[in-house]
Amino acid sequence: MGAGPGRPGDIPDVAVLLNQRVITRESLDSSVPAALKLKRRIKRFALDNELDHLPLGDIVAVAMDEWLTTRGF
């Protein structure tokens, strides 16, 4: 696997995975700059959109997948 545009062939599309009924998951432990106030902004988004549950893990998966894909990983 090398750096370059696109997704490696052995990595499925994130939308296909997230639409499956059962998803095998793994945990990522990360910290983000507090100045971004991500927790507060996510909570505000959920309240403004009347969401009881915001799939934070799925949001992180999509964002990280997109970031890695643009770098060829």
Side-chain angles (χ1 to χ4, degrees), residues 1-70:
M1 222 182 308
R7 173 189 306 278
D10 62 339
I11 305 295
D13 184 75
V14 70
V16 172
L17 286 175
L18 295 179
N19 284 318
Q20 292 178 356
R21 185 174 184 153
V22 176
I23 303 171
T24 301
R25 296 183 180 263
E26 62 184 6
S27 179
L28 293 177
D29 183 22
S30 62
S31 58
V32 296
L36 295 175
K37 300 177 182 176
L38 293 176
K39 287 173 105 176
R40 188 180 94 190
R41 292 163 60 198
I42 289 167
K43 195 177 289 187
R44 183 79 246 166
F45 174 84
L47 288 171
D48 287 354
N49 289 280
E50 299 178 3
L51 299 172
D52 293 333
H53 171 72
L54 194 61
L56 188 55
D58 292 351
I59 294 167
V60 170
V62 170
M64 291 185 72
D65 180 68
E66 188 173 307
W67 184 81
L68 287 166
T69 297
T70 61

